[in-house]
Amino acid sequence: MSAVDDRPAPSVANRRRRDGVGVGLTVWGVLVFAFLFIPIIVIIAYSFNTGRLLATWQGFGFDAYGAAWENPVLRASVITSLQAALGAAVLSTILGTLGGLALARSKVKAKWVLWATGLLTITLFTPEIVDAVSMLPWFVSLGTDFGIAPFSNGMVRLVVAHSVLSVAVVTFIVRARMHGMDESLEEAAADLYAPPLRRFFQITLPVASPAIWAGALMSFTLSLDNTIVSSFVQVPGATPWPVYIFSALRVGLRPEIAAVSAVMFVLTLLALAVVGLVLRRGGQSAEEMAKTLASA
């Protein structure tokens, strides 16, 4: 026989108060999302403007996309951004994967782990203007004073600078993935006389692969929209897309700027969608995916 619930029923006033709070939070959430996404919707809409200037709407058409493709300087800046993002993704993924595996397998209270975690965290929270000001003289010294020619190359500068800012992201994502790995899998492989390199490629790497792909794609997207550091370390002939936009502000924005911005926005969405797909196929739930990405 079930026990009788003696708790008093909620009063009408309490129910109305809770309903009012829920409605208020819903309205506030809608306003926040509108504040964030309406500017993006506006710039995508104006990418179909046939006028000469972005702010002057003259009609609907795809002229801006054609003009953007036919502009060699604009096209070169987009290609430079994509190449720098790809190079930064590869370099930061290699370094971040090794760092994430090392942190996940070490004792949490070890001094070097605390120092490494602290240094990586500093790179995440340091203002980009500070990173930019510190990187520029360093690259100039390496390329000019020490005669290391690659550091005078604009693409090398962009890849290295963007990788420095992305390594921490990949490291923390991989560490979060590998932190809960069952070590008995590798121990069992060792008992079966599997050499360390084979254990790494057949056990460790497949388990970490969702986080590695997620970190690589996150690095790619972070590099695409990096503006402050890029404007400091870039050299003529290797001008990325964000820096080109800032230079275009002096003469007025044209619709082709909005067209390329819309394409880059779609590209970023696709990269984030691939991140979610990779993590989903890795067996992570929506909550686990959010924790993995938040760990960065």
Side-chain angles (χ1 to χ4, degrees):
M1 189 173 179
S2 60
V4 179
D5 190 358
D6 294 332
R7 291 178 297 178
S11 63
V12 176
N14 290 335
R15 288 199 299 269
R16 289 179 178 175
R17 189 179 298 110
R18 287 199 297 268
D19 293 341
V21 172
V23 172
L25 291 176
T26 301
V27 172
W28 178 253
V30 171
L31 291 176
V32 169
F33 278 101
F35 176 79
L36 293 175
F37 289 103
I38 285 179
I40 299 176
I41 296 174
V42 170
I43 201 67
I44 292 176
Y46 270 83
S47 68
F48 300 101
N49 181 18
T50 57
R52 290 186 67 256
L53 295 178
L54 183 63
T56 304
W57 180 270
Q58 292 187 359
F60 181 87
F62 295 91
D63 299 346
Y65 289 88
W69 178 256
E70 294 173 358
N71 188 330
V73 179
L74 192 154
R75 190 169 63 246
S77 67
V78 174
I79 294 175
T80 298
S81 287
L82 293 176
Q83 291 176 339
L86 182 61
V90 173
L91 181 58
S92 60
T93 299
I94 294 174
L95 298 177
T97 298
L98 296 177
L101 293 174
L103 292 177
R105 293 180 173 182
S106 302
K107 296 181 179 180
V108 179
K109 295 184 179 181
K111 289 185 178 181
W112 79 267
V113 172
L114 297 177
W115 278 102
T117 304
L119 290 175
L120 291 172
T121 305
I122 289 175
T123 62
L124 290 177
F125 292 99
T126 301
E128 288 192 9
I129 185 65
V130 177
D131 294 326
V133 172
S134 61
M135 287 181 187
L136 178 58
W138 179 241
F139 285 144
V140 172
S141 298
L142 291 175
T144 304
D145 299 338
F146 294 95
I148 305 177
F151 286 100
S152 296
N153 182 278
M155 183 58 63
V156 173
R157 287 187 177 189
L158 290 173
V159 170
V160 173
H162 294 179
S163 299
V164 169
L165 303 178
S166 301
V167 166
V169 175
V170 182
T171 300
F172 289 140
I173 290 178
V174 173
R175 186 185 67 171
R177 171 72 178 181
M178 299 302 296
H179 188 68
M181 177 182 174
D182 189 0
E183 297 181 359
S184 62
L185 296 175
E186 293 185 345
E187 294 175 357
D191 292 339
L192 295 174
Y193 303 102
L197 196 60
R198 187 172 183 180
R199 296 200 302 268
F200 176 78
F201 282 104
Q202 293 189 352
I203 297 177
T204 306
L205 199 60
V207 173
S209 60
I212 294 173
W213 282 105
L217 292 171
M218 288 291 291
S219 300
F220 183 83
T221 56
L222 289 174
S223 176
L224 278 182
D225 63 0
N226 189 292
T227 305
I228 299 176
V229 174
S230 298
S231 63
F232 273 76
V233 303
Q234 63 94 27
V235 298
T239 301
W241 164 246
V243 179
Y244 175 85
I245 294 180
F246 270 101
S247 63
L249 289 173
R250 301 174 184 176
V251 295
L253 289 178
R254 298 176 61 85
E256 50 262 35
I257 300 293
V260 179
S261 299
V263 172
M264 299 292 270
F265 175 70
V266 173
L267 183 63
T268 302
L269 289 182
L270 290 176
L272 293 176
V274 173
V275 170
L277 180 62
V278 168
L279 292 178
R280 174 69 70 179
R281 289 192 173 184
Q284 293 193 5
S285 62
E287 182 179 358
E288 291 172 337
M289 286 191 292
K291 290 181 179 179
T292 299
L293 296 178
S295 64

